Amino acid sequence: MSRFAREDINAISPYIPGEQPRDRKYIKLNTNENPYELSSGAVNAISKRFLADLRRYSDPECTELHRAIADYYGLDSQNVLATNGSDEALAFAFYAYCRDGVCYADVTYGFYDVIANLFGCKAEHIPLKSDFTIDGRDYFNKGKTIVIANPNAQTGVALDGGIIREIIEKNSENIVILDQAYADFGNFNAIPLIKQYKNLVVVNTFSKSRSLAGARVGYVIADSELISDLKKVKNSFHPYNVNAISQALAVAAIRDKEYFENTVKKVKEVREKLAGGLKALGYIVLPSSANFILAESPNICGRDLYIKLKQKGVLVRHLSDERIENFVRITVGSEEENEKFLKILTEIEEDEMR
Ligand code: PMP
């Protein structure tokens, strides 16, 4: 730390993103990206004419993107705020609603702790049950803001709509933030509930189900009064938060419903094949509603398995979190990547048994 920086920077422990290596070509199953490319409609949205117009600032109101997202969900533009990835949406929501206290699972998305720490929010960690599920009753009448990733990050396990509704109802005096980064791969989407619940903030992203991780587009869906709060934060921090290229890509991506539905369907199919392949090798596999699977080898600890896979050209994520340190998190790749991965994994497990 330099002598110029403010004291409390010392206490910040920043988020460490998954590897994005440039040294060789890996089968990359470590950061929950989509294995399928962007739809051609989205690619064609960026014409030469469009690029020439980059001399202008992007639309700070994200008018077209807000309308496209609102149309997709049958809502009003006033219910939408586009952000620079959903990490930014989470940061705005933590800033607006979490200073007096926030709670979330002990095993979940690591960024929650980082932002809570940065903004001085007092955070409570609620332990997952021993089977890594969330007990919804632990979140009743908390008297503070609640953040739930549903499906949960790292585990892929989801809560159903019934218990989510109960949690929202049992905290009517507090905000409930539902992080739905992976919800498109599951069976429940809370977005329609914002019409009914004025304390619900849904955070979503184009990074996973819409193949746009590199464009950095996320969004918040909530009652218009909450969106006004968050817009105030956004305009005090970064008024042009979503660049023009990303706005255009996201508009085209959300309008291409057929491509989205096809690719999500393929990811779900491959996920079930991957889970089957892992179980056949004796792995403990958590039931995933996301585009990744958390799994534990019967023979090799998480860290060693991560290293062995990397040596053979496969990247998975090993998370240092104590409760899941024997697991690895495997992103669902394409059918072809999945077959190659299971073949390599079988070789590693056979070597271990020799
Ligand atoms: N929420 C969860 C649960 C995530 O796993 C991620 C991705 N790491 C994000 C939010 C942020 O994604 P992005 O900023 O790419 O939208």
Side-chain angles (χ1 to χ4, degrees):
M1 188 177 130
S2 83
R3 66 193 162 91
F4 305 106
R6 46 187 277 179
E7 275 282 300
D8 52 4
I9 288 205
N10 239 343
I12 292 175
S13 32
Y15 182 69
I16 304 169
E19 293 163 275
Q20 301 292 349
R22 309 285 175 212
D23 60 331
R24 65 183 265 202
K25 208 167 167 12
Y26 290 94
I27 298 177
K28 196 172 172 304
L29 308 177
N30 66 330
T31 45
N32 302 341
E33 291 135 335
N34 200 306
Y36 302 107
E37 285 176 12
L38 197 53
S39 75
S40 54
V43 174
N44 292 335
I46 310 301
S47 63
K48 275 203 175 139
R49 175 78 234 134
F50 183 93
L51 291 175
D53 272 349
L54 287 180
R55 70 202 167 92
R56 305 273 184 220
Y57 279 105
S58 60
D59 173 9
E61 301 299 331
C62 293
T63 314
E64 214 187 334
L65 178 54
H66 286 174
R67 196 175 307 128
I69 295 170
D71 285 351
Y72 184 83
Y73 292 112
L75 299 167
D76 195 279
S77 288
Q78 308 290 317
N79 297 121
V80 186
L81 175 65
T83 55
N84 194 313
S86 57
D87 280 340
E88 189 184 60
L90 290 165
F92 293 162
F94 269 64
Y95 189 88
Y97 303 122
C98 298
R99 197 172 69 173
D100 296 336
V102 57
C103 58
Y104 40 82
D106 61 343
V107 179
T108 189
Y109 185 31
F111 198 57
Y112 302 156
D113 266 345
V114 174
I115 331 172
N117 187 9
L118 182 66
F119 293 154
C121 311
K122 209 166 166 315
E124 174 191 348
H125 299 130
I126 303 180
L128 297 181
K129 292 196 283 187
S130 57
D131 63 356
F132 296 104
T133 57
I134 284 177
D135 187 339
R137 288 164 305 182
D138 290 344
Y139 292 78
F140 290 176
N141 307 313
K142 287 302 295 178
K144 59 179 89 169
T145 299
I146 288 171
V147 184
I148 298 179
N150 195 46
N152 197 7
Q154 326 312 7
T155 68
V157 179
L159 286 173
D160 66 36
I163 190 75
I164 291 284
R165 275 174 180 278
E166 269 195 87
I167 292 170
I168 301 166
E169 283 170 12
K170 294 255 194 292
N171 291 281
S172 55
E173 295 307 309
N174 289 97
I175 292 287
V176 176
I177 300 171
L178 275 189
D179 179 351
Q180 294 205 146
Y182 303 105
D184 288 332
F185 303 106
N187 303 316
F188 172 69
N189 193 327
I191 285 176
L193 300 185
I194 65 117
K195 290 184 185 160
Q196 192 181 344
Y197 300 114
K198 307 291 179 206
N199 60 330
L200 173 62
V201 171
V202 181
V203 171
N204 215 328
T205 183
F206 280 74
S207 294
K208 317 293 179 183
S209 57
R210 296 186 192 271
S211 304
L212 268 177
R216 313 301 305 124
V217 188
Y219 54 100
V220 182
I221 305 270
D223 181 68
S224 57
E225 225 184 333
L226 303 184
I227 292 294
S228 299
D229 298 338
L230 297 170
K231 275 188 183 167
K232 256 190 174 170
V233 178
K234 179 215 100 156
N235 286 326
S236 308
F237 176 72
H238 191 185
Y240 302 98
N241 63 334
V242 185
N243 72 67
I245 298 177
S246 297
Q247 288 189 35
L249 288 169
V251 166
I254 201 152
R255 287 192 181 143
D256 203 340
K257 203 169 169 201
E258 195 183 329
Y259 185 81
F260 162 76
E261 284 171 357
N262 279 335
T263 47
V264 165
K265 184 164 167 267
K266 281 198 273 184
V267 169
K268 285 169 137 184
E269 283 165 5
V270 175
R271 177 179 73 205
E272 297 320 307
K273 285 188 190 162
L274 172 61
L278 290 165
K279 284 179 193 162
L281 288 171
Y283 276 63
I284 293 172
V285 176
L286 297 194
S288 173
S289 297
N291 68 336
F292 61 86
I293 285 181
L294 193 69
E296 183 180 12
S297 161
N299 304 306
I300 311 167
C301 76
R303 172 105 201 129
D304 289 354
L305 182 56
Y306 155 78
I307 292 168
K308 284 175 198 283
L309 280 165
K310 189 168 179 185
Q311 283 161 352
K312 289 186 181 271
V314 181
L315 275 186
V316 295
R317 190 94 192 256
H318 175 250
L319 295 140
S320 54
D321 195 310
E322 225 178 272
R323 287 190 69 186
I324 52 170
E325 68 184 357
N326 274 333
F327 288 74
V328 289
R329 195 191 69 191
I330 308 151
T331 302
V332 177
S334 65
E335 179 93 60
E336 195 194 345
E337 285 172 324
N338 192 45
E339 279 166 18
K340 281 190 193 155
F341 166 72
L342 284 172
K343 192 163 166 280
I344 292 168
L345 194 65
T346 307
E347 286 165 13
I348 291 174
E349 290 292 342
E350 282 171 359
D351 266 2
E352 196 67 22
M353 300 295 277
R354 266 195 209 116

